[in-house]
Structures are given as structure tokens and as C-alpha cells.
Amino acid sequence: MFNNIGRESPNYIQYLLKAIWAIKIPIRIMEVCGTHTMAIARSGMKQVLPDWITLLSGPGCPVCVTDETDIDLACALADLPNVILASYGDMMRVPGTDGSLMSSRLNGADIRVIYSSNDALRLAVEKPSCEIVLLSVGFETTAPTTAITIETVVKEEIKNFSVLSLHKAVPPILRFLLLDPELSIDAFLLPGHVCTITGADAFNFIAKDYSRPCVVAGFEPVDILEAIFMVLLQQQLQQPTIEIQYQAVRKKGNVIARKYVEKYFHLVDCTWRGIGIVPLSGYAMRDAFGGLDARKKYDLPVPLVKNTHCVCGDILKGRKEPIECALFATRCNPASPVGPCMISEEGSCAASFLQIQKGK
Amino acid sequence: MQDKTDKIELSHGSGGRKTQELIRTVFQKNYSNIILDQMLDAALFEIKGTKLAFSTDSFVINPIFFPGGDIGKLAVYGTVNDLAVSGAKPYYMSVGMILEEGFSIDDLRRIADSMALAANHAKVQIVTGDTKVVEKGSVDKIFINTSAIGIIPSHIHLHPANICPGDVIIVSGQFGEHGLVIKTRRQEFAFDTPIESDCASLLPLTQSLLAYGNKLRCMRDITRGGVATTLNELAEQSSLTFKIEENLLPVSPVVKGACKMLGMDPLYLANEGKLVAIVAPDSAEDILHRLHCLEKGKNASIIGRVERELPGMVIIKTSLGGQRILPMLEGDPLPRLC
């Protein structure tokens, strides 16, 4: 498709942009993945695209869509005596209903920043007198590594390790969004890394059942531009399908990784921040491994659900603009975010907030 | 919803926005005077007609030994560099050490050797010091404070107020190495990178550039908070816009690759042997050439220009042709999961 001029050519981006500008179809494209959102923002892509193309950032940042009540649960675990909570760095500042992991740590909780689930395992081995709880987040990409860590824990009979699984699945949330009759999204850029595990086929329903063009995209700005062009061509030809721009992805994905996940997890209804309960979208640990499930191992308080009145769900669906949210730029701002669109520094609300600040 | 706390957070020491807020609201408020209020890398003042620069810094790094250096080398060069970018030649240094009970005397010898070597190299004499030992657990192995005093030639006046629209922004080399080495050598990281810290004296570069007189407007050593935070400080202090170009940034492929993997931005990683110089446009090429002739400046690059349109802001032009605001470091740079 892009053979007229090679990707290595210094003119390739200009060539792509010219091709994109030539297709004058108003279109709202959701980039599902948080890494795509970051790449779009860091490259200033929205400024070089025609204004009839609207890019919407989707629910693909696992940190941002972690519900307030789950953060509360993690804080409660960290506060238990003798517990070390092992957390990924970007979870530290996400606010719960009352404080974050960062504020819990300031108040004395033992919370360690880790970079892989194996780091948490290493902690368990090094500190046999402490209980290590892995705060495990992420989509299909990180769930297999957590599963493999659990496999090691089971095999080596490590007793001081458990997992608070906040893992989520991407296809169910997209189906949930698509089921909304007022959804105002015409096409999707699908997450490349997730698709390496799930396979592109896991998203066939989007084109088949909901007639929306989809392209599995890589993470360089040039990948995203190529994917946008491919989406535009599908829309122009009225032939919605699943195309793969990201060469690492196969139709069937990584069967072995999925087997590991299936061995230890099963899908349950799960709350997404700003969106609500999404059926069968969260990975809970199977009953057989209850001893490793922090939710069962510890007597935890029942999370207090508060209605934040955040309309991130509608913003993600393309139904509302950030400015239409009553909390926007008042109670919800980048220093004190309420919903996922403000938590991610490149989310729709955070981006709108920055524009307002810039305009001042 | 907000983290309401009246406690010090790690991010208050990250060198970014929160550190500045803390300095402004707690220290500057109490100590305010005409010298401190300049908020420069070193205090600049005159005694009997001699222009002096005086600076202090504390070093609490973990790990204390790392590829390319150690806490001692860092403690000497860190303070020397603050004086160097002020246009000063350092003369005398003090060293204060806080040691944890149980710390290895062999390691202390190794650090003292390293400090002596660095001081010798920078031609600064360690003339006074202090040693305290505290109970195990009260500090992490060893903390070092250094202060130094130096002389600035009478005709040199480096200051952000000298910066003019049209001036050129130069960095002295590839950046991000030190911050990445430290992050990857901490035990929580699961991989190593084949790079070394850039820890070095900036004196050969700064002394060489002083020959350009007022064509050299201002220099800063790029430490915590990285290039992005240093440029933001200069943009704020000069009330001008700093516009840099992504395509011109000198970042090694190793740093680029590791940052991509960890979800970090090289523009926010700490450096310990790099400076940014703001220079007059008609001398920029000449100054760049001069830097290229020096070992520590061989990868120096022009990365952008100073403009007027958005005072106090740093704007980065991306390789795609778009633009975005490059903010100051807000907290500790934490790796992203997504």
C-alpha cells in the first residue's frame, strides 16, 4: 500500500499526510491504547491532521481506568501490618476516594515501586517474614506475565505472596462502548501490544457486528499515521474490516500466553473508572488459587462506592466534550484528577485543560 | 480527591516544580535577600572588588558506586559545575559527611580517593570538612555535602536576564545517561544498560566559552529534572520562549531505546556533566565549533532558539511538524505502564 515511497524516505511522513488530507471524510477515530494517545500527543499529530479527523483517546490506559474503589482496596492492603505492597510506578499518584498510594506511603505504608511482577517475587524471597502483595494491573499484555509469576509461586511453594488482580480485558470494553446506541465513534485504532496476545481476530466483531473500520496500529507516529490512512480507505470504500498495520501481530495471537492466563484467571464483571460496571471485563483469580488471591487472603473492607458525577464514560464514547462535565477544571484537574480522561496526562480532559491554560 | 498532605514527598526533592515551590514557600520566604533571590546555580557577590561565586549541594544517591562514577566524584563535580556555569573558577571546597553506623571503611576510603582525584582534576582544594556518624537506619550508607567558592573574571556577567529573542540554545552533548544509569542500577530494575554516567567537570567547557564575552549570555548545568526542567527555569527567568526541535536533540540510541522500554523521556533524565548554553546568534556556529574541539563537547548540538511569543514557556517542535508545550518536571519521573 505504501510502496510508492519507502518508509525510510525523509519525505515519507509528508507523503502520508498528503494522502490523508486528500480523503475528505469527516471521521471520529478512537485510539484505544494509552501508548497511542501518548505518541499522538508527543508528536503533535492533531495539529498536522485535517480538522475533519477527530482523534479520541479510548479506555486503553490500565492505570487511568482503575476504579477509585480499587485504589482504596490497595491502600487498605498496604496499611495492613507486615504487608509490603508492590506496585507499578504510575499507579502511585492515581487518586482513590480518599488519597492515593503515594499518600498512604507518606503515612507509613510500605509500598515498593516495581518494574515487573518478578520484582515482587524477588521481594517475597528476600523478605520471608513479610507478606508481599503484587498490585497487578494491565490488559492482555501484562496478565500473562502475572500468570507466569503465579505459576512460579505455586511451583516453589512461596507462602508470603499474593496478588490483587486489577487486570482488565480490552474486547469487552469495546463491545460495551459499541452497544451504546448513541456512540459517536466511526472507527478504531486497535492496540498493537494487546493484539500480539489476543490476535487481531479477537476484534473481528467490531467490523462484523458494528460495521466500524479497525486497524491494529504500531506505536511510532508514522505507524499511527499509516493506520489512520488505512482506516480512511476502509471508510471511503465502505468496507469495514480488521487490518493489521503492526507487523508483530498475527490473526490468532499468542496461544501459549493466553493459556497461562486462562489457567489462573477467569473473566468477571468489573468496574472501570468513569464508565461503570462492564460485564466480563476483569480478570479475577480462579477459586483453586484462592490462597494467592489477596481479596480472599485478607479481610478487606468493602469498598465504599461514591458517585463522582464524572462523565468520562460519555467523553470516551464521543458523546460529550470535556467542557460539558460539571467537574471539568474545577474539582477535576490534572493536579487532582477524578476520571480517566484527566488522570492520563494525554487524556481528552487533560488535553482540553492544557489548551485552556495555554489560552489564558 | 486530592492528596492533601503537609508532609514532604520524594517529589519535593526531584528538582522540578515541587522543589521550586518548596524553596519559594519555605526557604526563600524566610531567608530572602538580594543574592539568594536571584535563584541562580551559585550565589554571586563581590568582596573588595573581587567577583565571587559560592555554591553548596548535598548528595544522597543510591547506588553509591555506579558505572562512570561514585557519590564522591559526583559530590566534587556537582558543586564545581555549579560554579563553572556561573563563569567562576573554583578554588576552595568544604566536605561534610554523614555516615551510617556500620558503613564500610574500605568504601569510605574508595570514596575519599575518588573525591581527591576529582578535586585535583578540577584544581580545587578541599580545605575544610565535617564528619558525623548516625545510628544504623538513620541515613542510607553515606550522605555528602560539598560547598565551594570561586572567582569570576570581572568582565563576565552570565545571567538569564542577558538572554535575547533570536539567541541560540546549545547543549554540550548527548543527554540522559546519568539518570538512566542510576535508575537501571537500582535493585528494582530488572535490566542493565551498556552506558556510563556522564559525571564530569564542566570547567574545560565553561572556561573555554568565557572567551566569547557577552556573546555567551548564560549557562546552566543540566542536573535533576533534565534538559526540559533546565530550559523551563531559563524561560521563566528570562520571560522568553524557548523553542527546541525534536529532530535536533542529541540522544544516544541506547538511551532512546531504554527510555522507550521504561516509558521515560530522556528530556527529564538527570545529567552530571552536561550544560546548556544560550548564545548570541552571530557566534553560535563558532561556539559550537569550539565545543566540538573539546572532548566533553564533541557531541554538542544546537537544539533550538529563543523567541518572544509565549513568555516563560518551552515549546518543542516534533519530527511530525507539530508543536507541544514541554512542561517542567512535575514529580519524580516514574516509569509508565502504558
Side-chain angles (χ1 to χ4, degrees):
Chain A
M1 185 181 296
F2 305 107
N3 290 340
N4 303 2
I5 182 165
R7 268 176 71 109
E8 302 312 315
S9 162
N11 298 324
Y12 184 64
I13 285 179
Q14 291 314 314
Y15 163 81
L16 256 182
L17 282 170
K18 208 173 155 189
I20 288 169
W21 276 76
I23 304 175
K24 293 190 171 60
I25 303 174
I27 190 166
R28 295 166 71 85
I29 307 171
M30 172 177 277
E31 84 275 359
V32 174
C33 175
T35 310
H36 284 157
T37 306
M38 287 295 289
I40 288 165
R42 285 200 170 158
S43 63
M45 192 179 292
K46 288 181 182 177
Q47 293 167 42
V48 296
L49 288 175
D51 58 11
W52 57 83
I53 296 178
T54 305
L55 295 179
L56 296 157
S57 51
C61 168
V63 173
C64 307
V65 295
T66 297
D67 195 54
E68 293 94 321
T69 53
D70 286 329
I71 298 288
D72 294 347
L73 210 55
C75 290
L77 269 168
D79 285 340
L80 293 176
N82 207 35
V83 163
I84 299 176
L85 187 81
S87 166
Y88 295 99
D90 44 4
M91 291 295 288
M92 295 297 288
R93 293 198 191 94
V94 182
T97 51
D98 185 24
S100 62
L101 292 176
M102 192 71 90
S103 57
S104 280
R105 189 159 80 172
L106 281 171
N107 289 321
D110 195 346
I111 302 173
R112 312 281 175 96
V113 171
I114 52 154
Y115 300 88
S116 75
S117 52
N118 272 337
D119 292 343
L121 189 56
R122 204 176 307 134
L123 259 179
V125 174
E126 283 169 7
K127 297 184 178 294
S129 60
C130 295
E131 289 289 333
I132 311 300
V133 179
L134 168 64
L135 177 59
S136 195
V137 291
F139 298 118
E140 285 85 347
T141 30
T142 51
T145 47
T146 307
I148 289 166
T149 299
I150 296 170
E151 174 116 333
T152 310
V153 169
V154 171
K155 274 190 181 156
E156 297 185 8
E157 298 181 356
I158 295 167
K159 299 293 177 205
N160 62 331
F161 186 92
S162 59
V163 177
L164 177 62
S165 172
L166 304 180
H167 286 291
K168 292 179 175 64
V170 174
I173 183 70
L174 295 190
R175 190 181 286 279
F176 181 82
L177 293 179
L178 285 158
L179 279 170
D180 190 320
E182 291 181 48
L183 181 81
S184 178
I185 298 165
D186 305 309
F188 291 89
L189 298 187
L190 296 174
H193 291 159
V194 166
C195 290
T196 57
I197 306 295
T198 61
D201 281 356
F203 295 91
N204 274 342
F205 68 92
I206 301 177
K208 199 165 150 267
D209 302 342
Y210 301 95
S211 300
R212 302 302 209 279
C214 292
V215 175
V216 181
F219 299 94
E220 295 298 328
V222 64
D223 293 332
I224 297 170
L225 284 180
E226 280 186 359
I228 289 172
F229 181 58
M230 291 161 81
V231 158
L232 286 171
L233 285 180
Q234 284 189 43
Q235 187 80 339
Q236 190 179 42
L237 298 170
Q238 292 290 301
Q239 288 174 354
T241 184
I242 305 282
E243 282 187 284
I244 300 172
Q245 182 280 332
Y246 190 48
Q247 294 306 316
V249 170
R250 298 285 171 271
K251 281 172 172 282
K252 300 292 173 201
N254 186 331
V255 180
I256 297 169
R258 285 206 304 276
K259 274 193 175 157
Y260 271 108
V261 174
E262 281 159 25
K263 183 172 176 185
Y264 294 102
F265 296 104
H266 66 119
L267 286 173
V268 295
D269 294 356
C270 162
T271 307
W272 293 58
R273 191 182 195 112
I275 297 171
I277 295 173
V278 178
L280 299 179
S281 65
Y283 287 106
M285 286 185 69
R286 290 190 183 277
D287 288 344
F289 307 101
L292 294 174
D293 185 348
R295 290 177 201 265
K296 293 180 180 142
K297 187 171 180 179
Y298 299 96
D299 182 23
L300 293 168
V302 179
L304 189 67
V305 182
K306 284 183 190 169
N307 184 357
T308 59
H309 304 291
C310 161
V311 299
C312 278
D314 286 339
I315 293 167
L316 287 169
K317 289 173 199 162
R319 274 167 47 180
K320 282 191 176 168
E321 296 294 325
I323 196 83
E324 293 176 67
C325 178
L327 310 183
F328 179 73
T330 54
R331 199 158 77 77
C332 184
N333 57 67
S336 174
V338 176
C341 303
M342 192 66 91
I343 289 173
S344 164
E345 62 186 275
E346 312 302 352
S348 309
C349 294
S352 295
F353 186 89
L354 194 65
Q355 288 302 318
I356 288 173
Q357 293 298 98
K358 202 175 142 188
K360 270 183 184 172
Chain B
M1 296 299 296
Q2 196 167 6
D3 278 356
K4 287 192 178 106
T5 173
D6 56 354
K7 291 177 181 168
I8 290 288
E9 299 173 24
L10 281 173
S11 55
H12 280 120
S14 65
R17 176 81 56 199
K18 290 196 103 169
T19 308
Q20 288 207 343
E21 264 172 35
L22 190 75
I23 291 170
R24 202 176 50 246
T25 56
V26 179
F27 301 123
Q28 200 180 354
K29 184 168 167 270
N30 282 293
Y31 311 152
S32 178
N33 62 57
I34 200 167
I35 299 170
L36 180 76
D37 293 349
Q38 299 271 320
M39 299 298 283
L40 300 176
D41 279 334
L44 308 182
F45 49 90
E46 276 191 33
I47 297 180
K48 296 189 176 172
T50 302
K51 284 171 71 172
L52 297 169
F54 179 44
S55 188
T56 188
D57 212 337
S58 297
F59 300 84
V60 294
I61 197 163
N62 172 30
I64 54 174
F65 299 103
F66 48 84
D70 57 75
I71 189 171
K73 183 178 175 185
L74 203 62
V76 172
Y77 287 151
T79 298
V80 161
N81 289 347
D82 282 340
L83 295 189
V85 292
S86 307
K89 190 166 177 289
Y91 279 84
Y92 300 116
M93 176 173 274
S94 73
V95 176
M97 293 218 179
I98 301 175
L99 306 170
E100 184 185 21
E101 178 188 23
F103 185 63
S104 152
I105 292 182
D106 273 353
D107 282 350
L108 185 61
R109 278 205 188 94
R110 213 174 134 192
I111 289 165
D113 283 352
S114 171
M115 293 185 83
L117 199 68
N120 194 33
H121 183 253
K123 296 188 177 61
V124 62
Q125 282 183 282
I126 297 171
V127 292
T128 184
D130 177 55
T131 308
K132 297 281 188 292
V133 179
V134 295
E135 274 182 27
K136 195 164 182 61
S138 297
V139 295
D140 184 13
K141 297 184 272 291
I142 176 170
F143 291 171
I144 304 178
N145 171 272
T146 53
S147 300
I149 193 157
I151 296 177
I152 304 176
S154 58
H155 67 287
I156 296 297
H157 304 279
L158 302 178
H159 199 282
N162 299 340
I163 301 172
C164 306
D167 282 353
V168 172
I169 307 162
I170 295 176
V171 290
S172 63
Q174 294 178 326
F175 53 83
E177 276 87 353
H178 178 77
L180 198 63
V181 164
I182 296 306
K183 290 213 169 280
T184 53
R185 289 310 188 274
R186 284 186 185 157
Q187 65 180 74
E188 61 260 40
F189 267 93
F191 72 98
D192 291 344
T193 41
I195 47 168
E196 288 195 345
S197 163
D198 61 343
C199 182
S201 165
L202 288 171
L203 275 169
L205 301 184
T206 58
Q207 290 293 301
S208 177
L209 294 191
L210 292 185
Y212 289 89
N214 63 6
K215 298 288 184 186
L216 177 67
R217 316 289 202 205
C218 180
M219 292 187 285
R220 279 282 157 92
D221 59 335
I222 310 164
T223 54
R224 293 172 309 164
V227 175
T229 302
T230 304
L231 294 181
N232 267 282
E233 283 171 10
L234 288 172
E236 278 179 17
Q237 290 180 344
S238 63
S239 295
L240 291 167
T241 312
F242 279 45
K243 196 172 266 185
I244 60 170
E245 294 192 30
E246 191 174 61
N247 284 341
L248 300 179
L249 299 177
V251 182
S252 74
V254 177
V255 171
K256 231 181 238 176
C259 279
K260 197 167 269 185
M261 214 163 140
L262 294 167
M264 303 186 90
D265 187 342
L267 281 163
Y268 290 94
L269 287 176
N271 305 269
E272 289 295 346
K274 297 286 156 29
L275 62 79
V276 58
I278 314 300
V279 306
D282 55 353
S283 298
E285 287 299 333
D286 223 32
I287 289 176
L288 190 66
H289 180 68
R290 170 85 61 120
L291 285 169
H292 285 164
C293 295
L294 299 163
E295 172 58 24
K296 296 291 178 192
K298 64 183 179 199
N299 292 318
S301 304
I302 290 174
I303 61 164
R305 277 176 190 278
V306 179
E307 292 181 6
R308 192 189 291 278
E309 56 191 12
L310 293 163
M313 281 192 168
V314 180
I315 308 291
I316 182 165
K317 188 177 169 202
T318 70
S319 46
L320 225 57
Q323 291 190 355
R324 68 183 165 94
I325 297 169
L326 191 67
M328 188 174 272
L329 178 67
E330 280 297 335
D332 256 341
L334 292 170
R336 292 172 62 94
L337 189 71
C338 61

